[in-house]
Amino acid sequence: DTAVSQTPKYLVTQMGNDKSIKCEQNLGHDTMYWYKQDSKKFLKIMFSYNNKELIINETVPNRFSPKSPDKAHLNLHINSLELGDSAVYFCASSHKGRNTGELFFGEGSRLTVL
Amino acid sequence: LAKTTQPISMDSYEGQEVNITCSHNNIATNDYITWYQQFPSQGPRFIIQGYKTKVTNEVASLFIPADRKSSTLSLPRVSLSDTAVYYCLVDSNQAGTALIFGKGTTLSVSS
């Protein structure tokens, strides 16, 4: 079983559309994250949720809205997509406090905005 | 901002030992040093973490001098499959924080 799974793996869409990426973890972790990796391969934290509560919200446009229906799921909804949103989005999870320092990442969702 | 500095890229040949050094001059007392590996089209994967001296696991060794201002990830006898980006991070592992990734070191292993 995949520990952190994201869907879809690839997403191609037009500017102005709204799209969602789903993430699920079966590791029993309390904390989940969304990272964005742009074309320069720079990984940037976007959001973090602990037990369905938003704890980190970096400088991300309001068009991005995370939703955590339960602690095993963290979905990312993006409104009015722009060309600059094209990137690979990674979901990750960890224990609260990350005592071992370990984040478990999903395989990524490659979003292409045309 | 990432609190670490590491080489942008390194080249090696199969069977060689590779040492990637990371500088973290402003490391805090409660910070740990953690390394991640990322293959193309995959998410980063935890390799090793340490606080001081030496840590070894089945994948790599991590050497941390007494002043903790730098660290060295050592990969013994690399193979082609070790070609990846290696990220050095310093982090306090505190709840409510997230790992901040820098640009990493792209290691290319040739035959």
Side-chain angles (χ1 to χ4, degrees):
Chain A
D1 280 345
T2 303
V4 181
S5 59
Q6 303 178 220
T7 54
K9 190 168 184 177
Y10 299 97
L11 188 53
V12 181
T13 188
Q14 300 286 333
M15 280 177 55
N17 285 349
D18 303 337
K19 290 294 178 185
S20 293
I21 305 172
K22 296 184 177 181
C23 179
E24 176 182 4
Q25 55 95 3
N26 61 6
L27 297 168
H29 288 162
D30 298 299
T31 306
M32 297 184 71
Y33 313 78
W34 277 108
Y35 281 82
K36 177 182 179 181
Q37 188 167 43
D38 58 25
S39 57
K40 297 181 180 178
K41 305 299 183 184
F42 201 50
L43 262 171
K44 293 181 66 175
I45 180 68
M46 299 175 68
F47 301 102
S48 177
Y49 270 72
N50 184 65
N51 224 352
K52 303 193 296 177
E53 180 182 347
L54 180 66
I55 57 172
I56 295 175
N57 184 352
E58 292 296 309
T59 307
V60 177
N62 291 337
R63 300 181 294 103
F64 290 79
S65 54
K67 284 187 172 53
S68 181
D70 55 62
K71 74 174 191 176
H73 295 84
L74 180 61
N75 304 323
L76 183 65
H77 188 74
I78 315 171
N79 290 326
S80 304
L81 279 157
E82 300 177 358
L83 293 176
D85 297 332
S86 294
V88 181
Y89 292 84
F90 287 100
C91 177
S93 71
S94 72
H95 288 293
K96 181 181 178 181
R98 294 186 283 108
N99 293 326
T100 65
E102 186 167 0
L103 255 64
F104 292 81
F105 283 83
E107 295 288 293
S109 297
R110 180 176 294 277
L111 171 65
T112 303
V113 182
L114 303 175
Chain B
L1 291 177
K3 299 185 279 188
T4 61
T5 303
Q6 53 185 122
I8 297 291
S9 63
M10 293 183 69
D11 295 314
S12 182
Y13 291 97
E14 285 189 289
Q16 290 188 332
E17 178 184 76
V18 171
N19 296 309
I20 306 174
T21 297
C22 178
S23 297
H24 26 80
N25 291 319
N26 296 320
I27 190 169
T29 304
N30 57 349
D31 281 340
Y32 288 78
I33 300 154
T34 310
W35 286 81
Y36 278 76
Q37 174 191 57
Q38 185 178 23
F39 297 114
S41 302
Q42 293 187 25
R45 183 176 72 111
F46 174 91
I47 301 176
I48 197 166
Q49 183 184 65
Y51 185 80
K52 61 181 179 180
T53 62
K54 177 184 174 182
V55 180
T56 297
N57 62 22
E58 64 278 6
V59 177
S61 295
L62 179 59
F63 299 92
I64 305 168
D67 66 5
R68 302 197 333 120
K69 292 184 183 298
S70 67
S71 59
T72 299
L73 176 73
S74 180
L75 304 172
R77 297 180 298 282
V78 294
S79 64
L80 296 176
S81 62
D82 291 316
T83 294
V85 179
Y86 292 82
Y87 296 96
C88 167
L89 303 94
V90 293
D91 183 72
S92 62
N93 291 347
Q94 287 183 346
T97 66
L99 285 179
I100 306 299
F101 287 78
K103 294 184 179 179
T105 297
T106 299
L107 172 65
S108 299
V109 181
S110 304
S111 57

